[in-house]
Amino acid sequence: MPRFVFPQIIPEFLVFRQSLTDSEKFKSYLDTLAKFHRYSQRNIDLIYSQNPSASQVAGFKKWQNDFKRSVNKGEKGIRIAAPIIKKLTPEDQKRLDTTEEKAIVGYRYIPVFDISQTSGEPVLSAKDFVKENLADHQNVTSLYNAFKDYLNQQTDLKVSEVPLATLNGAKGYFQPSTNEIVIGGDEPDNALKLKTLYHEYAHSQLHGLKSAFKDRPRAYQETQAEAVAYVAMQNIGVDTSNYSLGYVATWAKDTAVIHSALSEIQQVSNKVIELSDGLTKQLGLQEAQKEPEHDLKKLSVHDLNKSYQSLQQQIQQTTSPQQKAQLKNQLNDVHQEISDRTQKQLKTFAEQNPEIKQPKSELDQSLKR
């Protein structure tokens, strides 16, 4: 196997985890996790340790080319780890018993910059539309019901509702022996009801009978479940800062335990975020970002055709009229770009080959009838 080479750990990275035994700093870290859940845990840790308030990062050229923004003069980059990829020789492939043409052989630090370090055109995220739509409590209820239905229909979990008065002050619970989640169905705060479902789902994933983490101390389990729920709610833009996140001293000031706990939280948070993103799209709450015109013009013919086919497929699969209309608008844009390129190519071909007789226009033909 390739011998992975990791760069020397930067000083900020060595001390930040110990600070997460403080509840407010832990909440700040979870904010970063919600914003950068697609990154590896290592890079989330690196981003947080250098800039806890970072919200969107990209490289110098990516800000310029994809977002039409420029990094402000004098800004210091945030260093994250990027893989070093090596093209494998036939000898390497035989030694590694693989048919892959490339492999990761190490990592290096590269600089990225937060959006707050840049200036230029505004950047809208699909999450902005989700947040705006979920300001309506009816939409929060729709997401709650969709998530509950998904768990009942697509997983081995059973989700049911009972009156809050029967829960002895709790908002809900997870029963490992029956793999059942019970929620207080008459909870008037729709956001709290959704957050409770996320919380109990986290318990089912982290602390069920088959889980490797089922024997964690109760306080540890509650902090983990509440952390996942917090990240999930932050991801959809619903403010839950008025709900207690729990005290995180259960990590017992052990760096290895903190690392394990964060890894477990990230795994389940990523799963919940992916599920929620899919459900908000199905409900028409998430507006897909429209491809900017300059991005379409930069796509290769292959990628342009691939985008066209993908949009056609999405239109056939979606059941939301709102999302279908948005996808059709994107499809029209891609179709127009393909048409423009084709016309341009035909015009160039005609100019370069004047000896080839061109078809007469419909108007000319109609005049001679």
Side-chain angles (χ1 to χ4, degrees):
M1 292 293 291
R3 181 175 176 272
F4 292 150
V5 180
F6 289 93
Q8 184 177 1
I9 300 297
I10 58 177
E12 301 98 319
F13 186 75
L14 294 173
V15 298
F16 99 93
R17 279 200 176 123
Q18 199 62 46
S19 72
L20 298 186
T21 54
D22 173 84
S23 291
E24 286 306 311
K25 289 182 179 178
F26 182 52
K27 184 181 288 187
S28 178
Y29 174 80
L30 294 179
D31 289 341
T32 302
L33 174 56
K35 296 166 188 169
F36 300 104
H37 69 277
R38 294 186 185 279
Y39 283 65
S40 67
Q41 185 189 346
R42 178 185 182 83
N43 279 335
I44 291 172
D45 294 353
L46 286 168
I47 291 170
Y48 176 79
S49 66
Q50 296 168 81
N51 185 351
S53 62
S55 62
Q56 184 175 354
V57 300
F60 189 93
K61 289 185 177 179
K62 189 173 182 65
W63 278 122
Q64 284 186 328
N65 298 333
D66 292 2
F67 298 100
K68 300 303 179 185
R69 296 180 69 88
S70 300
V71 175
N72 300 329
K73 187 176 181 180
E75 292 288 354
K76 180 182 178 182
I78 299 169
R79 288 168 287 173
I80 64 173
I84 300 171
I85 300 174
K86 175 188 175 183
K87 185 173 182 179
L88 300 179
T89 64
E91 292 75 18
D92 290 332
Q93 291 175 322
K94 184 176 181 180
R95 176 170 54 84
L96 299 173
D97 190 24
T98 181
T99 58
E100 295 292 330
E101 295 183 355
K102 297 178 181 179
I104 297 174
V105 296
Y107 291 83
R108 60 189 176 90
Y109 282 131
I110 62 170
V112 293
F113 300 87
D114 183 54
I115 189 171
S116 63
Q117 299 174 288
T118 68
S119 303
E121 294 183 8
V123 177
L124 283 179
S125 166
K127 293 294 183 294
D128 295 320
F129 300 107
V130 177
K131 182 176 181 179
E132 180 180 340
N133 287 322
L134 289 175
D136 182 344
H137 274 211
Q138 183 57 46
N139 285 336
V140 176
T141 302
S142 296
L143 179 55
Y144 166 82
N145 288 329
F147 189 41
K148 182 182 69 168
D149 290 345
Y150 171 83
L151 295 179
N152 276 324
Q153 297 168 13
Q154 304 295 327
T155 74
D156 58 357
L157 286 164
K158 180 183 178 183
V159 183
S160 60
E161 295 184 353
V162 298
L164 279 169
T166 66
L167 294 178
N168 298 319
K171 301 296 181 182
Y173 66 85
F174 167 64
Q175 179 57 257
S177 60
T178 59
N179 210 29
E180 181 182 12
I181 292 174
V182 177
I183 303 293
D186 53 345
E187 168 58 54
D189 186 336
N190 294 334
L192 180 54
K193 193 174 177 182
L194 176 61
K195 180 171 177 284
T196 301
L197 182 54
Y198 282 142
H199 178 108
E200 302 307 336
Y201 176 72
H203 274 312
S204 76
Q205 301 303 293
L206 288 169
H207 314 125
L209 291 179
K210 298 179 181 179
S211 170
F213 320 121
K214 61 183 174 60
D215 296 324
R216 301 288 193 200
R218 176 63 183 271
Y220 187 112
Q221 292 184 4
E222 287 304 312
T223 300
Q224 282 191 305
E226 193 66 0
V228 171
Y230 179 84
V231 170
M233 295 299 282
Q234 287 294 103
N235 175 67
I236 59 175
V238 178
D239 183 21
T240 57
S241 58
N242 56 325
Y243 305 133
S244 171
L245 186 61
Y247 186 52
V248 295
T250 52
W251 301 158
K253 300 188 182 300
D254 184 328
T255 303
V257 172
I258 293 173
H259 175 78
S260 175
L262 294 180
S263 177
E264 293 158 14
I265 289 169
Q266 187 200 19
Q267 290 172 35
V268 180
S269 293
N270 285 353
K271 189 173 182 179
V272 174
I273 287 173
E274 293 297 328
L275 286 172
S276 296
D277 282 353
L279 293 172
T280 54
K281 288 177 182 176
Q282 289 179 19
L283 293 169
L285 301 177
Q286 185 173 146
E287 181 172 331
Q289 294 190 67
K290 183 179 178 181
E291 284 281 0
E293 186 178 354
H294 63 266
D295 278 353
L296 289 180
K297 292 188 179 300
K298 288 180 357 186
L299 289 179
S300 66
V301 173
H302 173 76
D303 289 341
L304 201 60
N305 289 330
K306 189 175 180 181
S307 176
Y308 188 84
Q309 293 169 0
S310 174
L311 286 167
Q312 284 184 315
Q313 186 176 16
Q314 291 178 59
I315 290 170
Q316 292 175 351
Q317 293 176 346
T318 185
T319 57
S320 164
Q322 181 182 354
Q323 188 180 6
K324 191 181 289 285
Q326 292 163 357
L327 291 170
K328 283 184 176 179
N329 287 336
Q330 293 181 62
L331 184 67
N332 288 338
D333 289 342
V334 175
H335 180 273
Q336 187 61 50
E337 177 61 23
I338 293 174
S339 177
D340 290 346
R341 289 193 192 186
T342 303
Q343 291 298 324
K344 186 176 180 181
Q345 289 170 351
L346 287 173
K347 184 178 179 181
T348 301
F349 178 82
E351 290 173 350
Q352 293 174 350
N353 300 273
E355 69 280 3
I356 298 179
K357 187 177 180 180
Q358 301 299 312
K360 295 176 181 178
S361 69
E362 290 185 9
L363 179 59
D364 288 343
Q365 293 178 16
S366 64
L367 289 173
K368 292 187 178 182
R369 283 178 186 165

